[in-house]
Amino acid sequence: MLGMPPPKPALSPDRLSARVRLKRALLVGAGLLSLLLGLLGAVLPGLPTTPFVLLAAACFAKASPRLHRWLVQHRWLGPMVRDWEANHSLPLRIKWLASGMMALMVGVSAWQLAERPVVQAAVLMAGLVGCIVVWRIPTRPVKQR
């Protein structure tokens, strides 16, 4: 078979269906948006960082091995992604810390919104949902020394 080009890999971009390419593009877009929200959460009180970074990692893992590798190897964000991917659980100390920080921020927000009871109730409900989500995540057993 002289003169014929070598066969293309099964997953080369030009062999993927339009549907698969669209799915990957949407996942990369969702991952980038989640990462942006996570980075904003690092500086804006009340906006969480970790869930958005982990969501970005999940999107990148399905759509872009290059972006997933970059996030996992990132100097500041990588440790939380690696920890989650290795354990899929949270230490009890982190659950209490997250719940306490949420309670503090939700409490301050609710206090500031005393004049708007509907918004205040929405903030309190969002805080409750956040705590429920945190406590539904499996608790990592304490390592024995």
Side-chain angles (χ1 to χ4, degrees), residues 116-127:
R116 302 176 73 187
V118 173
V119 179
Q120 186 182 44
V123 167
L124 291 169
M125 289 303 296

Side-chain angles (χ1 to χ4, degrees), residues 73-111:
Q73 294 173 351
H74 191 272
R75 180 177 178 184
W76 294 298
L77 303 174
M80 81 173 80
V81 174
R82 289 190 301 270
D83 181 63
W84 176 257
E85 288 182 350
N87 299 296
H88 290 282
S89 62
L90 293 174
L92 187 59
R93 182 181 66 81
I94 297 299
K95 286 185 172 189
W96 281 111
L97 180 64
S99 297
M101 295 299 290
M102 275 190 279
L104 176 67
M105 295 309 300
V106 166
V108 169
S109 298
W111 177 63

